[in-house]
Coordinates of all heavy atoms in Angstrom, one line a residue:
H1258 N 9.4 -7.1 16.4 CA 8.9 -7.4 15.1 C 7.7 -6.5 14.8 O 6.7 -6.6 15.6 CB 8.4 -8.9 15.1 CG 7.8 -9.3 13.8 ND1 6.8 -10.2 13.7 CD2 8.0 -8.9 12.5 CE1 6.4 -10.4 12.4 NE2 7.1 -9.6 11.7
C1259 N 7.7 -5.8 13.8 CA 6.7 -4.8 13.4 C 6.3 -5.0 11.9 O 7.1 -5.5 11.1 CB 7.1 -3.4 13.6 SG 7.6 -3.0 15.3
L1260 N 5.0 -4.7 11.6 CA 4.5 -4.8 10.3 C 3.8 -3.5 9.9 O 3.2 -2.8 10.7 CB 3.4 -5.9 10.2 CG 3.9 -7.3 10.6 CD1 2.7 -8.2 10.8 CD2 4.8 -7.9 9.5
A1261 N 3.9 -3.1 8.6 CA 3.3 -1.9 8.1 C 2.6 -2.3 6.8 O 3.1 -3.2 6.1 CB 4.3 -0.8 7.8
V1262 N 1.4 -1.8 6.6 CA 0.6 -2.2 5.4 C 0.1 -1.0 4.6 O 0.0 0.1 5.1 CB -0.6 -3.0 5.8 CG1 -0.1 -4.3 6.4 CG2 -1.5 -2.3 6.8
G1263 N -0.1 -1.2 3.3 CA -0.7 -0.1 2.5 C -0.9 -0.7 1.1 O -1.5 -1.8 0.9
T1264 N -0.6 0.1 0.1 CA -0.8 -0.3 -1.3 C 0.4 0.0 -2.2 O 1.2 0.8 -1.8 CB -2.0 0.6 -1.8 OG1 -2.1 0.4 -3.2 CG2 -1.8 2.0 -1.6
T1265 N 0.5 -0.7 -3.3 CA 1.6 -0.5 -4.2 C 1.4 0.8 -5.0 O 2.4 1.3 -5.6 CB 1.8 -1.7 -5.1 OG1 0.6 -1.9 -5.8 CG2 2.2 -2.9 -4.4
S1266 N 0.2 1.3 -4.9 CA -0.1 2.6 -5.7 C 0.6 3.8 -4.9 O 0.5 3.9 -3.7 CB -1.6 2.8 -5.8 OG -1.8 4.1 -6.3
S1267 N 1.1 4.7 -5.7 CA 1.7 5.9 -5.2 C 0.8 7.1 -5.3 O 1.1 8.2 -4.9 CB 3.0 6.2 -5.9 OG 2.8 6.5 -7.2
T1268 N -0.4 6.8 -5.8 CA -1.4 7.9 -6.0 C -2.0 8.3 -4.7 O -2.6 7.5 -4.0 CB -2.5 7.5 -7.0 OG1 -1.9 7.1 -8.3 CG2 -3.5 8.6 -7.3
V1269 N -2.0 9.6 -4.4 CA -2.6 10.1 -3.1 C -3.8 10.9 -3.3 O -4.5 11.2 -2.4 CB -1.5 10.9 -2.4 CG1 -0.3 10.1 -2.1 CG2 -1.2 12.2 -3.1
S1270 N -4.2 11.2 -4.6 CA -5.3 12.1 -4.8 C -6.6 11.3 -5.1 O -7.7 11.9 -5.1 CB -5.0 13.0 -6.0 OG -4.7 12.2 -7.2
D1271 N -6.5 10.0 -5.2 CA -7.6 9.1 -5.4 C -7.3 7.7 -5.0 O -6.1 7.3 -4.8 CB -8.0 9.2 -6.9 CG -9.4 8.7 -7.2 OD1 -10.1 8.3 -6.2 OD2 -9.8 8.6 -8.4
V1272 N -8.3 6.8 -4.9 CA -8.1 5.4 -4.6 C -7.9 4.7 -5.9 O -8.9 4.6 -6.7 CB -9.3 4.8 -3.8 CG1 -9.1 3.4 -3.6 CG2 -9.4 5.6 -2.5
I1273 N -6.8 4.1 -6.1 CA -6.5 3.4 -7.4 C -6.4 1.9 -7.1 O -5.7 1.5 -6.2 CB -5.1 3.9 -8.0 CG1 -5.2 5.4 -8.2 CG2 -4.8 3.2 -9.2 CD1 -6.2 5.9 -9.3
P1274 N -7.1 1.1 -7.8 CA -7.0 -0.3 -7.6 C -5.5 -0.8 -7.8 O -4.8 -0.5 -8.8 CB -7.8 -0.9 -8.7 CG -8.8 0.1 -9.0 CD -8.1 1.4 -8.9
A1275 N -5.0 -1.4 -6.7 CA -3.6 -1.9 -6.7 C -3.5 -3.1 -5.8 O -4.4 -3.4 -5.1 CB -2.7 -0.7 -6.3
Q1276 N -2.3 -3.6 -5.7 CA -2.0 -4.7 -4.9 C -1.7 -4.3 -3.4 O -1.3 -3.1 -3.2 CB -0.8 -5.5 -5.4 CG -1.1 -6.3 -6.7 CD -2.2 -7.3 -6.5 OE1 -2.2 -8.1 -5.6 NE2 -3.2 -7.2 -7.4
G1277 N -2.0 -5.1 -2.5 CA -1.6 -4.8 -1.1 C -0.1 -4.9 -0.9 O 0.6 -5.6 -1.6
Q1278 N 0.3 -4.1 0.0 CA 1.8 -4.0 0.3 C 2.0 -4.2 1.8 O 1.4 -3.6 2.6 CB 2.3 -2.6 -0.1 CG 3.8 -2.4 0.1 CD 4.2 -1.2 -0.6 OE1 4.8 -1.2 -1.7 NE2 4.0 0.0 0.0
V1279 N 3.0 -5.1 2.1 CA 3.3 -5.4 3.5 C 4.8 -5.2 3.7 O 5.6 -5.8 2.9 CB 2.9 -6.9 3.9 CG1 3.2 -7.1 5.4 CG2 1.4 -7.1 3.6
L1280 N 5.2 -4.4 4.7 CA 6.6 -4.2 5.1 C 6.8 -4.9 6.4 O 5.8 -4.9 7.3 CB 6.9 -2.8 5.1 CG 6.7 -2.0 3.8 CD1 7.2 -0.5 4.0 CD2 7.5 -2.6 2.6
A1281 N 8.0 -5.3 6.7 CA 8.3 -5.9 8.0 C 9.6 -5.3 8.5 O 10.5 -4.9 7.8 CB 8.5 -7.4 7.9

């Protein structure tokens, strides 16, 4: 069982307010 986390934003050039994203 593994987990990966990040953001729903696809922007890589700046930090954009977005929701957290969890994959399993």
Side-chain angles (χ1 to χ4, degrees):
H1258 177 213
C1259 302
L1260 299 167
V1262 296
T1264 171
T1265 55
S1266 171
S1267 65
T1268 301
V1269 302
S1270 55
D1271 196 2
V1272 177
I1273 301 297
Q1276 292 300 310
Q1278 181 169 259
V1279 182
L1280 303 182

